[in-house]
Amino acid sequence: MTEETITDPANDAVQGKAIESAKAVFSGESLRFPFVPDAMIGLIRPLGDRIFGTRDLNMELYALDPFVTELEQRAVDDYLLMGFDGHGISSQALHYFLVCGPLALFLQLTWANPFADEATSRRRIEGALGLAESLFFDITTAVEKGSISPGQRLVVVESDFSTSRWGWTQGTAPLALEEDPSALFVAHMKIREILSQ
């Protein structure tokens, strides 16, 4: 992938078929299709080979960290990016980046690595995608209950190729994320704790 922006014609026919194309890619890998918020379903479009999303893509998904740091550089509109990207045969990964209201979630999990156990990778991805969907609905409920301050955002990064971390941010304040190899699980437990209060 080059550094130039990748875009596709924004016509309804292309966008309407894109969600079905994305589902076919995940089905071809025998992986569950990731959660897509209702408001984003019609906005999904192809962005590259086995990559789909709702925003223009001007960097590789595999880079990951620039997507996280841009949250503190400027206001970022809600978006979803998902698909498969990597470098070489041992650094391929499923990517699922969801920035939506109070949640900014970045998953980068090993997939199609000939040196890793496929069944283990599949279980990890399936579990993470399920937890991601649950986290989205739980944090939405927390906002509706007034348990999270307006403008506050939970940032979660779980990666096999970068540092996994999580934490809270407000607007474009500098990110102070806590490193944790189980960032997604820990962040989800934190939201469950907030909901139980």
Side-chain angles (χ1 to χ4, degrees):
M1 181 181 308
T2 65
E3 288 299 314
E4 64 189 27
T5 300
I6 299 170
T7 58
D8 280 58
N11 74 49
D12 292 339
V14 170
Q15 292 179 2
K17 291 180 181 176
I19 191 78
E20 296 308 318
S21 296
K23 287 179 179 179
V25 166
F26 280 82
S27 177
E29 297 292 334
S30 298
L31 291 172
R32 75 181 283 166
F33 187 67
F35 168 72
V36 178
D38 289 343
M40 295 184 178
I41 290 174
L43 303 176
I44 299 288
R45 62 188 193 271
L47 299 172
D49 182 33
R50 300 174 6 121
I51 299 173
F52 300 85
T54 63
R55 68 173 271 182
D56 290 341
L57 187 60
N58 59 3
M59 54 190 149
E60 296 177 328
L61 291 181
Y62 186 76
L64 178 66
D65 288 329
F67 290 96
V68 180
T69 57
E70 81 174 337
L71 295 174
E72 60 187 2
Q73 296 168 346
R74 63 185 181 85
V76 176
D77 292 334
D78 288 354
Y79 72 85
L80 173 66
L81 293 169
M82 60 182 167
F84 302 88
D85 193 21
H87 289 283
I89 62 170
S90 62
S91 298
Q92 297 296 313
L94 164 106
H95 295 78
Y96 176 76
F97 302 167
L98 176 63
V99 175
C100 189
L103 178 63
L105 173 62
F106 303 90
L107 299 180
Q108 183 182 57
L109 306 174
T110 297
W111 181 244
N113 180 337
F115 306 110
D117 179 66
E118 183 178 317
T120 300
S121 296
R122 184 182 309 283
R123 280 193 303 275
R124 179 150 186 256
I125 287 172
E126 298 283 334
L129 291 176
L131 205 52
E133 183 173 358
S134 180
L135 177 60
F136 175 84
F137 286 110
D138 285 348
I139 199 166
T140 299
T141 300
V143 169
E144 291 168 354
K145 289 178 61 177
S147 302
I148 296 175
S149 304
Q152 194 172 23
R153 175 178 276 163
L154 176 64
V155 180
V156 182
V157 180
E158 184 136 345
S159 172
D160 291 332
F161 305 100
S162 183
T163 304
S164 295
R165 55 218 189 260
W166 76 280
W168 296 95
T169 188
Q170 188 84 27
T172 55
L175 299 176
L177 305 180
E178 180 180 331
E179 292 185 15
D180 194 310
S182 301
L184 177 59
F185 176 79
V186 172
H188 189 240
M189 289 301 98
K190 181 63 178 175
I191 294 300
R192 286 287 174 95
E193 179 185 320
I194 289 170
L195 284 174
S196 71
Q197 296 173 354

